[in-house]
Amino acid sequence: SSADSQSREEFMYRRILEVLGESPGLTIGQLAKRIEVDTTELRGYVSWMRSKGKVTSVGRARATRYSLA
């Protein structure tokens, strides 16, 4: 249901903020391991959060590292 997907999204956003707050400069793979989610799913959340100015990234391709904005 849409309530379930909304709570999943809220959970994901909170976890991403939490993990990056504790450990800035993680790669997408490291972040996925800590949150225990697939990198493909995580990329969507992280790119949305970047577009909203919540998360920043440095580097390119596999060397990209994410931190809180």
Side-chain angles (χ1 to χ4, degrees), residues 31-46:
L31 186 56
K33 254 190 198 121
R34 293 189 191 199
I35 295 175
E36 298 179 349
V37 67
D38 182 65
T39 56
T40 308
E41 181 184 356
L42 185 60
R43 272 181 215 285
Y45 291 109
V46 171

Side-chain angles (χ1 to χ4, degrees), residues 16-22 24-25 49 53-56 66-69:
I16 293 166
L17 294 172
E18 205 176 287
V19 172
L20 289 179
E22 295 164 2
M49 292 174 82
K54 305 278 184 205
V55 171
T56 61
Y66 298 92
S67 299
L68 296 183

Side-chain angles (χ1 to χ4, degrees), residues 25-28 57-66:
L26 295 177
T27 64
I28 199 86
S57 64
V58 292
R60 292 172 57 166
R62 294 177 65 109
T64 305
R65 297 190 173 273
Y66 298 92

